[in-house]
Amino acid sequence: MKLKFHSFSSRLTRRIIIALVLTMTFITALIFKLVTSAMAGLNEMYYQSVLDFTDETLEKVLTAVEVSAANNVDEVESWLSQPDKVYDAMESELKLNPHIIGFALAFEPNYYPQEGYWFEPYVVQRNSKTIERLQIGSAEHDYFKSSWYSIALKAEDGYWSNPYFDDAGAKMMVCSYMLPIHDHKGKTVGVFIADVSLNWLKEQIDEIDEKNNDRRKEILSYFKKPFDSYSFIIGRNGDYIVHPDRKRILNENFFAYANATPTPLDEELGKDMLAGKNGKKLIDIEKTVSYVFYSPLKRTGWSMGIVVPKAAVLQPGFVLGAIILAVMGLGLLAIFLVCRFTIHFATKPLTYLSDSANEVAKGNFDTPLPSIKYNDEIHQLRDSFRKMQQSLAKYVERLKTSTAQNASMESELNIARGIQMEMLPKTYPPYPERKDIDIYGSLTPARAVGGDLYDFHIHDERLFFCIGDVSGKGVPASLVMAVISAQFRTLSANEDQPQRIVKAMNTTMVGRNDSMMFATLFVGVINLKTGELRYCNAGHDSPVIVSEQSYELLPVDTNVPIGIVPDWTYTQQQTTIQSGSTIFLYTDGLTEAEEKDQILFGEKRMLETIEAGKTSDPETIINNMTNAIRLYVGDAEQSDDLTMLAIRYNKPA
């Protein structure tokens, strides 16, 4: 059926626009992703700076408290003999430290007998002008039973307490810094306490939240929903220290809230905060999907978090992305109009070539071609058609000749492969009348023909066998393989010593080896009456002796391959083959078989395959190994010739 004609210029314009749309869509999506990621990164940096600023502010205050407490301890210790002077020392220091709400001294029991069992002098700053002196130690306020007192007595470097509501002295939420005090003999006689009001911290956090929300409302003023954020601080045990809901402060625990939610993210957030980690998490908190940016307040062991609704973080990026999308859309419309006109005008000469090209396609190589006005690519195309007309006929003739030659070469290679396979002895089975020997072999060349070989024959109740691997592949290797096979047959017919057979083959090959090819070779002779095996190895892989229950590598000497060294003295070795055992021989095409990532099959996998088979049957061993290689290699191209030969000996009764 004839296809409907479509204008090339229209089709080209449409394709360019589609390509532009797809490209710009990808670019827009990428820019949108980058913008939103950048905005999220900027937000994270901003909130991290807020967290760092809060930590730095708190650090300065707490450092000042520690320095003030250390200075005051020195002065207090100098006045321990005069209890009234202790009040004076604490009051004078209190006036110099606006962040400290009060100082206290908790003495050991009956340290001042005249003051009673409990003596805890306390000076508190009620406002900017009034400082009140109190003695808050009593049976109702028995500080000896408090854990902070016993900890502070031993804390030579100071100890910060968890926040708590001080109902005995300050009458507000405080956090205390404590140091042990010593008398002139160095004995610990009590604890010095500096109370810091946390109201200033709550006020600072409220101020930070207010600034963040005001800034966000200015940027997103056209949205109805304000997307307010808020900050909170939790203590070392997870209790809220600062929170917009004042009812939660020191009354609720972050983990109690987290355990009440179905997602584990809340609990992970709490664990990270208590572990002193920095970061952010996206969680559903109080029915709003929000980012929680968190950072430790290092000196205290507290952790601060800022809760920001996800929409507040992402919407600036969405807005910017929408603007970019609108601008790109307008640009795309302009490009479409320009492309449509330009392409239609530029492709008009192609119509002139259409009819001529159709005639050439029909085989009319002498069809006249139209003239082209401009010397451009279309003009060059016309010239190319002219050259094509002149050379196409010659090319068709050469193609016919080449096709015939290739077909002839392929036929010859197939014949050569058949001849090579016919040279191998038959193994199914080779000696059906004998019960003492069972042989099975397999040869798979990497190309049409290859350089691997195996051979065997029985002479004077001895089994002569060999396996070899000629260097290289293809036709040259196959010719050397044929020569070696013929030499083995000739020499083994008159000689029963493997060492002499190999030496003679080496001498012959070295003498006529202008191509510098060589071969690894293993030659063995089994006495079929006794099971005695004499063998000579010329650089070949060690065979494996396989029984029903075990296997072992046959030890071989490291003689050089034949065809390299003229006067090499080859060694001969001897062992006895147990009845029922099989000699498994192979070329390196087995161990060096490669999968798609060029990882070798290896000797280890070969031995594992033998062990898994639990058999000494020659055909089964080779079939198992063939299947293992095929499964391992998969679709990868065979890299080398693969040959296997298995010989099982059964000692006559």
Side-chain angles (χ1 to χ4, degrees):
M1 184 177 68
K2 187 176 181 180
L3 297 177
K4 183 179 179 181
F5 175 79
H6 294 281
S7 170
F8 172 72
S9 63
S10 298
R11 189 168 69 254
L12 181 59
T13 302
R14 184 167 58 252
R15 290 180 177 178
I16 290 176
I17 295 302
I18 291 174
L20 285 173
V21 168
L22 294 176
T23 303
M24 295 181 72
T25 299
F26 173 77
I27 294 174
T28 302
L30 181 61
I31 292 176
F32 182 79
K33 177 67 176 176
L34 293 175
V35 167
T36 54
S37 298
M39 293 297 293
L42 289 174
N43 275 316
E44 184 173 355
M45 292 173 60
Y46 170 75
Y47 288 112
Q48 186 61 50
S49 68
V50 172
L51 294 170
D52 292 342
F53 172 76
T54 305
D55 186 27
E56 183 179 353
T57 302
L58 182 60
E59 188 86 5
K60 289 180 180 178
V61 173
L62 298 182
T63 301
V65 171
E66 292 179 4
V67 172
S68 176
N71 293 335
N72 205 221
V73 164
D74 293 338
E75 187 173 357
V76 166
E77 289 178 345
S78 67
W79 293 104
L80 287 178
S81 60
Q82 302 179 49
D84 293 338
K85 293 290 186 179
V86 170
Y87 280 104
D88 296 335
M90 291 192 297
E91 184 173 338
S92 62
E93 187 69 23
L94 187 59
K95 292 177 180 179
L96 301 176
N97 294 276
H99 286 301
I100 299 178
I101 195 65
F103 285 120
L105 280 168
F107 287 98
E108 286 283 78
N110 292 317
Y111 183 73
Y112 296 106
Q114 68 275 20
E115 299 293 345
Y117 186 77
W118 297 277
F119 183 52
E120 186 178 2
Y122 187 74
V123 293
V124 58
Q125 188 169 246
R126 296 300 184 191
N127 51 51
S128 58
K129 296 180 180 180
T130 304
I131 294 180
E132 184 178 350
R133 296 185 177 189
L134 303 171
Q135 199 295 102
I136 60 176
S138 65
E140 290 75 18
H141 182 64
D142 187 356
Y143 53 86
F144 301 127
K145 296 181 180 179
S146 300
S147 60
W148 60 262
Y149 182 76
S150 58
I151 294 173
L153 282 175
K154 302 175 183 178
E156 293 296 333
D157 294 330
Y159 166 70
W160 278 101
S161 72
N162 282 324
Y164 64 96
F165 186 83
D166 183 7
D167 57 356
K171 306 296 184 182
M172 64 178 64
M173 190 172 70
V174 298
C175 183
S176 298
Y177 180 68
M178 307 174 193
L179 284 168
I181 54 177
H182 309 85
D183 60 13
H184 66 282
K185 296 180 180 180
K187 179 182 178 182
T188 303
V189 298
V191 174
F192 180 81
I193 305 163
D195 288 340
V196 181
S197 172
L198 295 184
N199 287 337
W200 68 272
L201 181 58
K202 178 65 171 67
E203 292 170 0
Q204 182 172 341
I205 296 300
D206 290 342
E207 183 179 349
I208 291 171
D209 289 344
E210 185 177 354
K211 288 181 179 179
N212 288 340
N213 292 326
D214 289 344
R215 169 177 166 271
R216 192 177 301 109
K217 288 174 184 177
E218 291 177 3
I219 298 174
L220 303 174
S221 57
Y222 43 84
F223 289 103
K224 295 181 180 180
K225 196 171 182 179
F227 302 121
D228 285 345
S229 64
Y230 66 88
S231 304
F232 67 93
I233 297 177
I234 60 174
R236 292 190 288 262
N237 58 358
D239 289 340
Y240 285 107
I241 297 173
V242 175
H243 194 278
D245 185 356
R246 292 182 177 273
K247 295 179 181 179
R248 295 189 180 186
I249 299 175
L250 297 184
N251 293 322
E252 291 188 17
N253 187 280
F254 180 84
F255 288 99
Y257 163 77
N259 291 332
T261 61
T263 173
L265 291 176
D266 299 340
E267 187 173 357
E268 291 178 10
L269 170 63
K271 291 179 179 179
D272 286 350
M273 293 180 72
L274 293 189
K277 296 181 180 179
N278 288 17
K280 70 175 181 180
K281 273 190 168 51
L282 181 64
I283 64 174
D284 188 344
I285 185 166
E286 297 178 356
K287 299 182 180 180
T288 302
V289 179
S290 304
Y291 284 100
V292 180
F293 301 88
Y294 56 94
S295 180
L297 304 177
K298 300 176 182 175
R299 184 175 292 271
T300 60
W302 308 341
S303 186
M304 179 178 175
I306 301 179
V307 180
V308 187
K310 180 181 179 182
V313 176
L314 299 181
Q315 276 193 353
F318 289 150
V319 172
L320 184 57
I323 294 173
I324 293 173
L325 183 62
V327 172
M328 285 189 169
L330 293 175
L332 187 62
L333 178 61
I335 291 173
F336 170 76
L337 296 176
V338 172
C339 286
R340 184 171 179 81
F341 173 77
T342 303
I343 293 174
H344 178 74
F345 179 78
T347 58
K348 207 170 185 179
L350 290 175
T351 305
Y352 303 140
L353 281 174
S354 177
D355 294 338
S356 298
N358 286 333
E359 291 299 318
V360 171
K362 294 176 182 178
N364 300 324
F365 303 137
D366 57 350
T367 299
L369 299 177
S371 60
I372 304 299
K373 180 179 180 180
Y374 299 103
N375 186 18
D376 55 11
E377 289 83 356
I378 299 177
H379 190 283
Q380 293 177 355
L381 179 62
R382 191 275 314 271
D383 293 342
S384 298
F385 266 97
R386 180 185 293 120
K387 293 178 181 178
M388 179 185 67
Q389 288 175 302
Q390 296 171 354
S391 62
L392 193 56
K394 296 179 181 179
Y395 173 77
V396 170
E397 289 300 321
R398 288 197 301 269
L399 183 62
K400 291 179 180 179
T401 303
S402 176
T403 301
Q405 290 175 348
N406 288 338
S408 176
M409 182 177 295
E410 183 176 353
S411 175
E412 291 174 359
L413 285 175
N414 288 333
I415 294 172
R417 179 186 177 90
I419 293 173
Q420 185 179 34
M421 293 297 105
E422 288 296 326
M423 292 176 63
L424 300 175
K426 308 305 178 184
T427 59
Y428 40 85
Y431 307 110
E433 73 283 356
R434 300 188 71 102
K435 304 300 181 181
D436 54 352
I437 201 76
D438 188 9
I439 305 176
Y440 191 81
S442 168
L443 190 154
T444 306
R447 298 178 184 174
V449 291
D452 280 6
L453 67 122
Y454 70 83
D455 200 356
F456 56 85
H457 66 89
I458 295 177
H459 178 64
D460 293 337
E461 288 303 305
R462 287 179 173 84
L463 174 68
F464 295 79
F465 64 93
C466 72
I467 187 169
D469 182 2
V470 180
S471 60
K473 294 181 284 292
V475 174
S478 69
L479 294 175
V480 176
M481 169 265 190
V483 172
I484 293 175
S485 295
Q487 285 184 320
F488 172 75
R489 281 281 178 159
T490 301
L491 292 170
S492 61
N494 302 291
E495 177 61 64
D496 63 357
Q497 298 299 320
Q499 177 263 344
R500 295 176 183 173
I501 295 174
V502 173
K503 181 175 179 61
M505 295 172 72
N506 178 61
T507 301
T508 302
M509 189 169 179
V510 170
R512 297 185 298 175
N513 193 15
D514 294 338
S515 60
M516 299 302 294
M517 299 186 73
F518 62 89
T520 65
L521 188 67
F522 183 95
V523 175
V525 179
I526 300 177
N527 188 321
L528 298 179
K529 294 180 179 180
T530 64
E532 178 189 67
L533 168 65
R534 287 175 292 174
Y535 59 94
C536 178
N537 181 61
H540 200 77
D541 292 316
S542 176
V544 185
I545 305 299
V546 184
S547 66
E548 293 288 347
Q549 303 298 328
S550 65
Y551 65 89
E552 62 177 343
L553 290 171
L554 183 68
V556 295
D557 292 339
T558 55
N559 295 307
V560 299
I562 63 173
I564 299 178
V565 181
D567 298 322
W568 184 268
T569 300
Y570 288 91
T571 59
Q572 180 170 298
Q573 296 170 268
Q574 181 174 318
T575 188
T576 299
I577 304 299
Q578 299 300 319
S579 180
S581 296
T582 297
I583 307 174
F584 175 65
L585 305 103
Y586 58 93
T587 62
D588 58 8
L590 170 61
T591 55
E592 295 180 4
E594 298 178 350
E595 44 95 81
K596 61 180 181 180
D597 294 326
Q598 297 184 330
I599 299 175
L600 302 182
F601 185 75
E603 183 181 274
K604 180 180 178 182
R605 289 188 179 88
M606 177 194 72
L607 296 176
E608 289 174 349
T609 303
I610 292 175
E611 182 179 18
K614 297 185 182 302
T615 180
S616 62
D617 178 63
E619 183 176 0
T620 303
I621 291 175
I622 291 180
N623 288 338
N624 289 345
M625 199 65 66
T626 301
N627 293 333
I629 290 291
R630 186 181 296 114
L631 181 64
Y632 180 77
V633 171
D635 297 331
E637 183 180 355
Q638 183 177 342
S639 59
D640 197 2
D641 302 334
L642 171 60
T643 300
M644 293 178 283
L645 178 66
I647 303 170
R648 181 165 63 182
Y649 170 68
N650 298 305
K651 189 173 183 179

